[in-house]
Amino acid sequence: MEKIEPMTIFGYEKLQAEVKYLKEVRRPQIVKDIEEALEHGDLKENAEYHAAKENQRTIDGRLQELADIIGSAKIVDPSDLEHSRISFGSTVVMTDMDSDEEVTYTIVGGCESNPDMGLISFASPLAKQLLGRKEGDEVKVQLPGGKKEFEIEEVKYQEIVFECHE
């Protein structure tokens, strides 16, 4: 089964920018670091060489990971979707039935998630249990921290703010 990774154009461009940075800035710097370390001679006790090679492996691994994500990316414009039920790009206002606290989350792609800003991945435990629900539903969810019960107050689409600009 082909894996599909939904994301907004913002997430896709963010991944592309990271690939560009790693390929054009970080990787060439690591190659220079390796060349300089090789000039120091004996590789067995050359910490700079081993550190640079480890950095190179890390960058190469991240580039492969990004290639996989980008290869399975499906760009979705949440404004084109129906939001009468919770779906990708929906903003959900819920009340925690235990604490009476109101929480708001927007469901986004994995590479776009930022829980501190209320952006949760469609693949997160909470989002998986919310997808398809509608206003007025009471939902019991199993989360890593235990069970929670929410009442869904509002499901809507609003423009997604991905980053704080200060």
Side-chain angles (χ1 to χ4, degrees):
M1 191 171 93
E2 184 183 346
K3 182 179 171 228
I4 294 175
E5 186 79 32
M7 63 186 67
T8 64
I9 191 70
F10 172 86
Y12 187 78
E13 288 173 351
K14 178 180 161 188
L15 294 177
Q16 293 285 16
E18 185 178 353
V19 168
K20 183 176 173 103
Y21 172 75
L22 290 174
K23 283 185 174 179
E24 295 178 8
V25 177
R26 291 287 298 137
R27 195 133 192 329
Q29 182 58 51
I30 295 296
V31 170
K32 282 183 191 162
D33 292 348
I34 291 170
E35 289 171 359
E36 287 175 18
L38 284 170
E39 292 172 8
H40 296 257
D42 186 9
L43 295 183
K44 277 188 249 167
E45 297 183 20
N46 189 330
E48 291 88 0
Y49 172 79
H50 293 290
K53 288 299 280 184
E54 182 59 34
N55 283 339
Q56 185 180 39
R57 279 189 290 279
T58 301
I59 288 170
D60 289 348
R62 179 63 179 157
L63 284 168
Q64 182 58 55
E65 184 182 336
L66 289 168
D68 292 346
I69 294 169
I70 290 169
S72 61
K74 178 175 182 353
I75 297 172
V76 178
D77 181 351
S79 67
D80 291 343
L81 301 176
E82 175 63 47
H83 293 281
S84 59
R85 291 186 175 270
I86 299 171
S87 66
F88 183 86
S90 292
T91 296
V92 185
V93 180
M94 306 183 294
T95 301
D96 183 321
M97 305 284 274
D98 293 330
S99 67
D100 218 28
E101 177 188 359
E102 189 174 272
V103 292
T104 302
Y105 294 111
T106 301
I107 299 175
V108 296
C111 66
E112 302 163 318
S113 71
N114 182 341
D116 293 339
M117 290 182 61
L119 304 175
I120 60 171
S121 167
F122 73 99
S124 70
L126 178 57
K128 284 180 178 179
Q129 296 170 82
L130 290 175
L131 291 171
R133 305 290 183 136
K134 62 186 185 314
E135 286 180 18
D137 283 357
E138 289 185 10
V139 57
K140 291 180 178 145
V141 294
Q142 181 65 48
L143 302 174
K147 287 187 178 181
K148 286 240 182 210
E149 193 170 348
F150 295 101
E151 181 176 350
I152 299 170
E153 305 291 339
E154 186 178 8
V155 178
K156 62 186 175 182
Y157 170 75
Q158 65 184 31
E159 189 170 334
I160 303 168
V161 178
F162 289 102
E163 295 175 336
C164 296
H165 297 290
E166 295 168 20

